[in-house]
Amino acid sequence: MKIACVGDNCVDYYDNTGEVFPGGNPVNVAVYVRRMGGQSAYLGAVGTDAYGGLILQALEEKGVDVHRVKRLPGATALSHVCLINGERVFGDYDEGVMAQFALTPGDVEFLCSYDLVVSGLWGRVEKSLAQIAARGVPVAFDCSERPEDEAAQIALPHTTLAFFSDDASDLKRLKERILAVAALGPRVVVATRGEKGSVAFDGTAFHTQGVLPCVVKDTMGAGDSYIAGFLMEYLRGKDLPACMAAGAASSAVTLGYVGAW
């Protein structure tokens, strides 16, 4: 399985410990795909600062193809995080050079050589996904907590698999949100619910999946690892419950260590 991940990256700076970890939704998914034995590439923009070098070196060490990452003059995106009882609390975010990121025709051609392309709400590629989908390449899009945002609304009609997180809505309201996303075009819509598990819709029926017992050290990257586990099984042709179970298992691994990976 070959999965190309495109869009935002950042360094997660933990204010209460001074630790720094590479992160960002597509970055994390690329690493988790490698963890599960797949091939992955990451496309995005990092700065010429030390943090940009840190992200590239860390991804190369994990075996992620980064040869199309753009290194632009300026600062790498940075997200301030506090860890409180294992839960991450986000502070200020500086997008850095990712604000200048855009795909070239060569980038699109490269992405279309993969089995599936993954991006998300802050990836700055939502307007390019139609080109990828038109080539018959499946697209997965992570809407974070906000599938109603403009970027998601642009992306979803060209998305095969849509993901978003919602641990606050009751089940009735959650299903309404899932159906609203599905109405825009995705074949599969998955909502992750934190410790409540996940709910997915395949165009016909809803499916549910619980979480697996584990020791939670840090929730950073748990949702992204769910997506990676789900997509790996999806590309193997497995049914939706099997994909959801693989997502839950992948999340349980990530929850057991500090930082996304």
Side-chain angles (χ1 to χ4, degrees):
M1 273 66 66
K2 295 173 56 183
I3 296 179
C5 305
V6 55
D8 57 297
N9 68 78
C10 67
V11 289
D12 297 317
Y13 182 88
Y14 282 66
D15 293 328
N16 52 347
T17 66
E19 294 175 290
V20 177
F21 298 97
N25 166 250
V27 168
N28 293 343
V29 173
V31 170
Y32 301 139
V33 166
R34 290 290 298 136
R35 186 176 74 189
M36 290 178 283
Q39 292 180 249
S40 66
Y42 168 68
L43 280 72
V46 300
T48 47
D49 57 359
Y51 287 150
L54 170 69
I55 289 175
L56 290 177
Q57 180 180 349
L59 286 173
E60 288 176 340
E61 289 175 352
K62 292 293 185 181
V64 176
D65 183 345
V66 294
H67 84 274
R68 295 196 76 91
V69 172
K70 305 177 196 306
R71 194 117 194 231
L72 304 177
T76 300
L78 187 144
S79 180
H80 288 270
V81 184
C82 281
L83 190 61
I84 302 174
N85 297 324
E87 287 291 332
R88 67 195 190 281
V89 178
F90 288 101
D92 293 337
Y93 172 70
D94 181 356
E95 191 177 21
V97 298
M98 262 304 299
Q100 306 167 42
F101 179 62
L103 292 178
T104 66
D107 292 333
V108 172
E109 192 69 26
F110 175 78
L111 291 169
C112 288
S113 71
Y114 277 69
D115 299 323
L116 185 144
V117 173
V118 179
S119 193
L121 194 64
W122 293 284
R124 293 192 169 273
V125 297
E126 61 273 7
K127 295 180 180 177
S128 299
L129 297 181
Q131 302 174 53
I132 297 167
R135 297 276 296 273
V137 179
V139 173
F141 192 84
D142 181 11
C143 304
S144 187
E145 300 173 347
R146 294 150 45 180
E148 299 83 9
D149 274 19
E150 181 182 7
Q153 295 289 301
I154 292 170
L156 288 170
H158 313 291
T159 296
T160 312
L161 304 106
F163 296 85
F164 71 95
S165 59
D166 181 349
D167 61 2
S169 296
D170 61 31
L171 194 55
K172 181 177 182 293
R173 172 57 183 150
L174 181 65
K175 288 183 176 181
E176 290 172 352
R177 294 190 76 196
I178 289 172
L179 290 174
V181 172
L184 295 175
R187 185 179 307 163
V188 174
V189 181
V190 182
T192 55
R193 311 179 70 203
E195 64 183 15
K196 302 173 187 175
S198 57
V199 178
F201 180 67
D202 60 7
T204 303
F206 286 95
H207 304 265
T208 60
Q209 168 68 46
V211 298
L212 301 184
C214 63
V215 176
V216 178
K217 293 186 177 179
D218 186 354
T219 57
M220 185 71 79
D224 299 334
S225 57
Y226 179 101
I227 290 172
F230 185 105
L231 295 177
M232 289 290 284
E233 291 302 281
Y234 179 84
L235 288 176
R236 292 186 176 108
K238 299 298 181 65
D239 61 16
L240 207 55
C243 294
M244 297 171 75
S250 181
S251 288
V253 173
T254 302
L255 289 166
Y257 48 76
V258 177
W261 39 275

